Each structure stands twice: as structure tokens, then as C-alpha cells.
Amino acid sequence: MSDVPIELSRCEGCRTRFLPTDGPCPRCGSSDVRSYPSPSLGTVLASTEMTNPPAGWAAPHRLALVELPESVRLIAIVEGPLPAPGTVVAVRLDGPVYRAVSEPVA
Amino acid sequence: MSVHVAAVGMGRFGKRTENQIDLAAEAAGIALEGIGRKPVDLLVAGSMMSHGPQGPEALLPRLTGRLGLESASGFRVDSASGTGGMAFHAAVLALESGRFERALVVATEKMTDRTTAANTRDLAASLHPSEVAAGATMPGLAALATQRYLERYGRDPAILDAATVHARSMAVRNPAAQFYRKPVTLPEVQASRLVASPLRLLHCSAISDGATAVVLERGTGPATVRALGQGFDALRLIDRDDLTTFDATRTAAQRAFENGHLSPKEVEVAEVHDAFSPFLFTHAEDLGFCPAGGGPTALERGEFALDGRLPLNPSGGVIGRGHPVAASGLAEVAEVALQLRGEAGPHAIARPPRVGLAHAMSGIGTHNFVTILGAEAP
């Protein structure tokens, strides 16, 4: 899996880094927010397999809470088997959602 | 100015044939009978699933018409699953303003005539759109928070089963509960199907119909309002530092305890919003009833039983009572009031309490409410 950077946001006020949002900095409320590229490998903090996903999604639908460098978190749709907490995954943006794939163990 | 709960109307939760106006009128009728039909000059009402074929958008005028309250003033509030808590707070503040004498607070929901897909979609309306876009649901996000909790404290998923068994054992005694006289065993919980791992069906609150009403009036009584507090948290789950706690609860509790010059140690009965069974622990910890991570041990020791150190969710809680979403937050206050007023009957806790706390949660802990009631005037 190639490590294509993904775009994150950094608050110039309090230096908090976060997933891009349509609002101001979620921590301090500053609107002085810049984009920056981040490595797209992250660690799974938690994951779940949903047997009754919302309409439009195939069952089972797997989601992971992933932590990228600088403690930025995102929720990604898991492709493939459910990764246990601690698993390293590659994340990519796909339209309005993020997708995660487990990295092969070196 | 003191305000107290003068009467409670707990309608039966579960699968009901009536529409939500009928359910609201039933609960309101019980509460109004409780004050001998004395005049009410304020109606505060709420419902979450408000865009159905029954036309409940006109909730307030339909209710005033049914209840003969056309001369009253009214407000409608909406805070997802915390609607009932918000409605109670709004009514208290309105009475404290001195403009009103007596308020009827009603929260109602009709869910069992809708498909699971429709309920899942509409419950997810209280989540952040970017998370919903990824196919997240309430159980899905609750599952992620639950897994963080289990990891953080090195716990086995069996604690989730124990929380469900606790809730259902309480509901067994409560005639208004959806699971009245329907206990479950640990093996039954473990055998229920996975909904969002590690959460199984019996770890999740049930789809229910139901309504709750209370009458608030100026003055004091066994269930006088001692303190209110509310708190917000980031709507996006990913913007929260720690998923093993709800900041909105901690903020609401801190404000309420400061507001009432009280401490968690003084609380003798509590109702918390366990929409998913592990939240019993999270809420007990966030409210200061036990240390972080200490909820499961407190439950194992019997501290939350009817005769325990702090009886927790004697009504059955959201898991045992059923979850007509808007009504749950008011049912939590109503249960505490019943306990304080000595009207809880078969689900009364062992020692008559002097101070009780009700906790309500909107969405996945986005906007939470803490209400403290007690015998002594503030």
C-alpha cells in the first residue's frame, strides 16, 4: 500500500491538529486554520463490525477509529477483515469518507 | 425561588397501540390527577421523532387541546434523546422566573410503528454528518467507545453482560418498564446476536413507545429541585480526547454540584442514561459515584443494588425501562421524584432517600443534563 499523504488541518492559534471540518478549530474556536499533508499510516484505537448498517451499506459494515500522527483521529470504513486495536492501517480519502486497509506485517 | 415536583405520570413503556399524542395525554392525565387537577399555566413538551404520518409536528396545540390547557403558555424543546431532561430544566427555569405557578412537563415518543432502518436513520440524526456519511450509527459509535473502555481498564466484555442483567433485574419490579417481569441471565445476554461488536442486542436499549409527565410547582416538597447543570461536548466523536468518559456529563455534574452546594457522596439514589449497557459504568464514574474505571467493580460488589451504597437505575434504566427516546430523559427525573416522594412502590430502594440525581444524555453524549432533587429547600 503506497503511503499517499492525506490533508489535515492545523490551528494557527492553539496549534491543535485535527481532521478538516467546516467549522473553526474544535478546541479554541479560532478561524485561522491551515491545511497540511500528513502521513496516512495510523493506528487503530477501536474497531467495530456492524451487522445492521444503515440503508445503502452492505452488512457487515466495519468501522475503525484511527489515530494518525500528532494525535489526529478519524473514523474510517475498513476494507477487509476487522483490525484489532493497535493494528497499523493505511488511510485514504474517498469522496466524503475515509477508508482504511491493514498494512501487511513487515 | 423553590420549585418542586408535585406529581409524576409514568406511562407504561413498550410496544403500544396508541399514537404519541394519546401516550402523552395518558401520562399527563396521571400527573394532573396527582395534583387534583389544579390549574396549570405552563406546558413544556418534547418529542424527537416528530415528522411521522401522525402529524405530531403540532405537538403543543394538539396536547393543549387534549388536556384543556388552551389558556396556558407553552414551549416545545428538542434535544434528541436528552429532550426530556431539557424539557424539565426549561420548565424549572420558567417557574423560577416567577412568571408561572405550575408547569406540566411532557415528553413522548412513538417508535414501534416505524421500521428499524427508519429508527436507525433518525437516531443517527443526532450524530455528526461526516460520521453518518461513513455509515456510523448510534450503536456503531457506542461500540467504539465501549472498546476503548474495555482496553483502557483491561476489562472483559462480560462486564457489559453484568450491566444488562442489573438493568433488567431492576425493571422486573417496575410495572411501567418495557421489561417488567422479564429478567435475563448472563448466558442469555451472551447468546444475543452481535449488533456492533462488542455490543450485542441485549446491551442496546430497546425501540419503545411511551411518554412521561411531571407537574412542577412553586414551593417545596420531598422532591424539591436542588440543582441543575448541563454540558456540551464536541459533536464529532473524533474531536474528543477520551472516549472512556463523557465530558458533557462531567461538566453538567460539576455545575449541578456547585449550583446546589452538594457532592456526589450526598446522592442516595440515581438514574443514569444507559442507552447502551456499558454507559452505566461511564456515567457512574463521570458523576463521581466511583473512580474512573471503578464502575464494574462497584456493580460486582452490589453497591448499585436496591439495598446497596448507591441504588443505580431502580426503574430499570434505559436498558430495562425501554427507550422512547425523548421520554427517557424525563423518566429519569420522574423515577428519582417517585423515590423521594415514597411513591416508587415495588421498585422503592431499601432506605428512603433524601437526595437523588437524574442524568440525561443527548445523542452520543453531546449535550447532557444533570438534575438533583431533594427534600430540603435550597
Side-chain angles (χ1 to χ4, degrees):
Chain A
M1 190 78 198
S2 60
D3 186 9
V4 180
I6 63 172
E7 185 181 294
L8 298 180
S9 297
R10 181 179 60 229
C11 173
E12 298 299 311
C14 71
R15 312 304 289 179
T16 294
R17 292 158 192 260
F18 54 94
L19 204 65
T21 168
D22 52 7
C25 169
R27 184 167 305 269
C28 74
S30 167
S31 295
D32 190 2
V33 172
R34 309 276 169 88
S35 294
Y36 72 98
S38 164
S40 61
L41 288 182
T43 304
V44 171
L45 298 179
S47 59
T48 185
E49 181 168 292
M50 299 156 59
T51 56
N52 279 351
W57 298 97
H61 186 59
R62 302 183 181 99
L63 293 176
L65 176 67
V66 179
E67 188 160 79
L68 296 171
E70 313 281 355
S71 299
V72 176
R73 294 173 178 188
L74 54 80
I75 287 175
I77 298 165
V78 173
E79 298 182 338
L82 192 68
T87 305
V88 174
V89 291
V91 175
R92 70 175 195 281
L93 186 61
D94 176 18
V97 301
Y98 293 91
R99 295 183 184 272
V101 181
S102 295
E103 278 290 290
V105 178
Chain B
M1 182 184 302
S2 293
V3 175
H4 76 112
V5 178
V8 171
M10 265 304 303
R12 184 174 58 79
F13 285 9
K15 186 169 174 58
R16 301 283 302 262
T17 54
E18 303 92 326
N19 68 36
Q20 72 167 354
I21 300 296
D22 293 333
L23 295 172
E26 176 192 68
I30 299 169
L32 292 171
E33 282 298 320
I35 53 161
R37 298 270 167 189
K38 279 185 274 191
V40 165
D41 56 359
L42 177 67
L43 171 66
V44 182
S47 166
M48 179 182 178
M49 308 280 191
S50 55
H51 304 290
Q54 306 163 42
E57 290 83 354
L59 181 65
L60 281 182
R62 291 182 75 185
L63 269 180
T64 52
R66 276 289 286 277
L67 300 170
L69 295 178
E70 289 93 341
S71 63
S73 299
F75 297 104
R76 177 173 178 163
V77 301
D78 180 356
S79 186
S81 49
T83 294
M86 177 183 273
F88 186 85
H89 281 216
V92 170
L93 297 173
L95 288 185
E96 286 179 346
S97 78
R99 286 175 178 263
F100 303 101
E101 292 285 338
R102 193 172 290 113
L104 174 66
V105 189
V106 188
T108 181
E109 210 73 72
K110 178 74 182 179
M111 302 173 76
T112 67
D113 58 346
R114 301 153 51 89
T115 63
T116 300
N119 280 319
T120 301
R121 178 196 66 215
D122 290 351
L123 291 169
S126 59
L127 307 176
H128 195 278
S130 66
E131 293 173 352
V132 174
T137 58
M138 278 295 297
L141 296 187
L144 295 176
T146 299
Q147 200 176 62
R148 291 293 287 162
Y149 187 95
L150 297 175
E151 288 271 323
R152 162 75 60 87
Y153 298 114
R155 284 291 189 162
D156 186 272
I159 64 166
L160 317 179
D161 309 331
T164 295
V165 168
H166 168 79
R168 296 285 291 267
S169 73
M170 295 292 204
V172 159
R173 298 162 176 265
N174 182 1
Q178 181 159 6
F179 296 108
Y180 177 51
R181 293 179 173 164
K182 290 178 186 161
V184 289
T185 62
L186 290 171
E188 284 169 333
V189 180
Q190 286 153 9
S192 66
R193 68 176 175 83
L194 277 169
V195 170
S197 58
L199 294 175
R200 295 180 178 277
L201 184 65
L202 295 184
H203 301 139
C204 304
S205 50
I207 299 293
S208 312
D209 308 321
T212 302
V214 305
V215 173
L216 273 164
E217 64 182 18
R218 290 199 214 169
T220 59
T224 302
V225 177
R226 297 283 305 272
L228 303 178
Q230 55 164 280
F232 279 106
D233 199 352
L235 182 55
R236 277 202 315 192
L237 212 63
I238 56 164
D239 290 324
R240 302 182 189 176
D241 291 333
D242 185 351
L243 296 186
T244 66
T245 178
F246 289 112
D247 276 355
T249 298
R250 294 158 67 95
T251 301
Q254 184 186 355
R255 287 175 175 167
F257 285 125
E258 284 177 11
N259 173 235
H261 306 290
L262 291 160
S263 78
K265 285 193 173 67
E266 292 170 82
V267 175
E268 295 174 329
V269 63
E271 280 279 320
V272 301
H273 199 105
D274 58 335
F276 300 92
S277 59
F279 292 174
L280 184 83
F281 306 128
T282 319
H283 300 330
E285 296 163 19
D286 287 339
L287 292 164
F289 299 144
C290 46
T297 302
L299 179 67
E300 284 157 15
R301 289 180 180 157
E303 294 179 16
F304 299 150
L306 288 181
D307 60 353
R309 171 177 70 88
L310 175 69
L312 196 58
N313 290 3
S315 73
V318 178
I319 290 288
R321 193 177 50 231
H323 193 22
V325 279
S328 285
L330 191 58
E332 286 144 5
V333 176
E335 174 67 16
V336 169
L338 289 174
Q339 296 284 348
L340 291 165
R341 291 172 57 83
E343 298 170 352
H347 50 110
I349 67 172
R351 290 181 305 277
R354 290 159 296 180
V355 176
L357 181 149
H359 162 265
M361 177 170 88
S362 309
I364 186 93
T366 306
H367 189 187
N368 296 358
F369 299 85
V370 167
T371 303
I372 304 176
L373 305 178
E376 293 105 56

